[in-house]
Amino acid sequence: MVSESKSPYLRAVLESIPAYKPGREVVGPDGRSIKLSSNESPLGPLPSVREAVSRAAADLNRYPDPGAAELVTRLAAHLGVPEEHVALGAGSVGLLQQLLEAVGEPGAEVVYAWRSFEAYPLLAELSGVTSVRVPLKDETHDLESLLAAITDDTRMVLVCNPNNPTGTAVRERELVDFLDRVPDHVLVVLDEAYREYVRDPEVPDGVTLYGNRPNVAVLRTFSKAYGLAAVRLGFLVGHPSVTAAVRKTLVPFAVNHLAQAAGIASLDAEGELLERVETTVKERERVREGLVAAGWTVPPSEANFVWLRLDEDTLDFAAACAREGVSVRPFDGEGARVSLGTPEENDVFLGVATAYARRR
Ligand code: PMP
C-alpha cells in the first residue's frame, strides 16, 4: 500500500528557484507558429551535419570519448589556441554550471549585469553562490559599477557580450580597461554565445584577450550560429587551471557522441554556416530599421535578436504577438526579446509590432 508520506527533505534553496522557462511556442488563428523566443537558428541542420549525426547514431552502445579528443583538437586548431586551453560542456549553460561549481565555496559571490541571461541567477543559487546584480546602464553593461561591486568574496564576474536580452555589446577599449583592473583572484567569464553575429569591429573577440590573463575565460556555443541547440554542445577557452577545473565538474560523458560528431561536421562546414549567419545579420538590420520607422526605440544589436523596452506593456505586447502566432520572450515589466527568424517570419513580426506601435 502506498502511504501518505511527507515529501523527502530537499535543499531549501529549491523553493526559491523558479524552474527555467524555455521559450514558448504559440499557435496563431491560421495554425501559424513562429518561434522567436529562444534565439535559435531558424534553419535546420546542414545536410552534411545531419549525415554525420546519422552515421554517429549507428554506434550508441559504447560511452562516448570522455575527452572528445578529436573535437578538442579541431576546435583548438580552429581558434589558434593550445588544446589544453579548450574544454567542452553540454551547452555553454552546462559550462556555466561547471564554472559556478568550481568556485562555489560557502560565501562565494558572482557579479553580473542585470538584466542579462536568465540562467545566471538560477545556476548561481543552485551552486550556493550568491548573486550580486549590477543594473544595466542605457541597456548595456556598466563596467565601472561591475568593478565597484567586486569584494573579497567575489569569485566570478560574468560579462555577457553581446548581452542577452538587450543585444548590446561592450567594446574593446572599455573591456580591456576593465580586465586590467579586476583583481587576479576573480575569474572573469566572457559569455560570447552570440559572438558570430557581432559586426562592430570595436567589439573584441574574447579569445584574443584571454591569452595573457589567467583569470579570464571565454564561453562559446554551437547552439546559435551553428544551429545545433538540440545537441547541447558548448566550449570554454581559458588557461589550464580553469579548463582543468571545468573538466572535473563536468558530469561524466555529458558531451555525448552525437554532439561530438555534430561539432566536428559543423567545423568542416563553417563556410556554409557563416553564410547563414550573414543572412541573420542582414535581417537584424532590416528588422531594426523597420521597428525604428514604426516608432520603436531599439538598441543596436550585435546578436541574433532585438530588444524592445515595453515596461508595463510587456505582457500585453507578447499577447498581441501570440494572437498572430508569434512567440517572443517577455520579461514582465521590462521588455521583450525577439529572435530573428527567416525573412518571412520577421515580416509577420514586423507587421504585429508596427500595428502595436500605432495603437500604443
Ligand atoms: N549564454 C547566453 C548569453 C545565452 O543566451 C545562452 C542561450 N540562451 C547560453 C549561454 C546557453 O546556450 P547553450 O547552453 O545552448 O550553449
Side-chain angles (χ1 to χ4, degrees):
M1 200 184 80
V2 180
S3 63
E4 281 283 317
S5 60
K6 281 197 196 155
S7 309
Y9 285 125
L10 301 171
R11 284 170 62 205
V13 69
L14 294 175
E15 300 276 328
S16 64
I17 298 180
Y20 179 81
K21 289 198 204 79
R24 268 189 342 131
E25 273 185 74
V26 296
V27 182
D30 53 358
R32 181 167 68 198
S33 179
I34 298 177
K35 187 163 177 254
L36 304 180
S37 50
S38 292
N39 297 345
E40 297 147 330
S41 164
L43 304 171
L46 292 177
S48 61
V49 175
R50 198 193 296 265
E51 270 164 37
V53 173
S54 302
R55 269 198 308 279
D59 184 15
L60 296 179
N61 56 317
R62 305 288 179 196
Y63 287 105
D65 171 6
E70 190 181 348
L71 178 55
V72 168
T73 303
R74 289 291 308 276
L75 268 174
H78 177 71
L79 298 161
V81 301
E83 290 182 15
E84 318 81 79
H85 288 200
V86 177
L88 301 172
S92 50
V93 83
L95 281 157
L96 275 167
Q97 184 163 23
Q98 290 159 247
L99 284 165
L100 284 159
E101 275 189 35
V103 300
E105 281 174 331
E109 293 177 355
V110 56
V111 175
Y112 51 87
W114 199 251
R115 178 166 285 278
S116 192
F117 181 30
E118 61 269 28
Y120 295 164
L122 307 183
L123 295 176
E125 293 235 355
L126 266 183
S127 318
V129 178
T130 303
S131 285
V132 176
R133 299 177 183 192
V134 175
L136 295 172
K137 195 163 124 192
D138 300 330
E139 312 288 17
T140 193
H141 276 76
D142 177 355
L143 293 177
E144 281 303 318
S145 299
L146 278 179
L147 207 54
I150 294 173
T151 69
D152 288 346
D153 292 325
T154 307
R155 293 290 174 272
M156 199 195 292
V157 180
L158 287 161
V159 179
C160 187
N161 202 34
N163 187 47
N164 173 7
T166 54
T168 51
V170 293
R171 303 209 160 76
E172 177 144 4
R173 204 164 44 83
E174 48 178 335
L175 186 59
V176 167
D177 180 54
F178 169 80
L179 295 178
D180 287 346
R181 291 154 69 203
V182 173
D184 293 344
H185 72 274
V186 176
L187 176 64
V188 182
V189 177
L190 304 175
D191 182 348
E192 297 188 339
Y194 302 97
R195 172 65 207 171
E196 293 82 358
Y197 301 97
V198 170
R199 289 296 174 272
D200 180 343
E202 287 181 38
V203 175
D205 172 343
V207 176
T208 65
L209 298 182
Y210 89 98
N212 58 351
R213 295 181 170 87
N215 67 328
V216 175
V218 183
L219 281 184
R220 296 274 181 84
T221 181
F222 279 87
S223 296
K224 309 295 177 184
Y226 288 84
L228 291 178
V231 307
R232 315 306 304 127
L233 183 62
F235 59 96
L236 174 145
V237 183
H239 285 264
S241 63
V242 181
T243 52
V246 290
R247 284 194 199 104
K248 287 183 187 170
T249 50
L250 173 74
V251 171
F253 306 112
V255 179
N256 72 64
H257 175 56
L258 303 180
Q260 294 183 29
I264 293 164
S266 296
L267 292 176
D268 287 336
E270 261 255 289
E272 258 174 289
L273 284 163
L274 296 183
E275 273 170 41
R276 290 177 161 198
V277 170
E278 207 47 55
T279 308
T280 300
V281 168
K282 289 205 182 91
E283 279 298 286
R284 171 175 80 202
E285 303 318 321
R286 185 179 75 89
V287 168
R288 181 162 180 268
E289 279 163 24
L291 290 168
V292 169
W296 292 96
T297 303
V298 190
S301 169
E302 293 291 329
N304 65 343
F305 51 84
V306 290
W307 170 247
L308 301 177
R309 187 158 286 281
L310 285 139
D311 302 322
E312 69 282 0
D313 291 339
T314 300
L315 296 186
D316 184 57
F317 176 77
C321 291
R323 281 195 293 277
E324 294 302 321
V326 179
S327 79
V328 301
R329 180 68 72 107
F331 297 100
D332 192 9
E334 295 176 57
R337 187 194 71 198
V338 187
S339 313
L340 295 151
T342 62
E344 299 72 32
E345 291 173 335
N346 298 335
D347 278 340
V348 176
F349 164 67
L350 272 176
V352 183
T354 304
Y356 194 90
R358 257 188 232 125
R359 288 205 306 278
R360 201 174 175 216

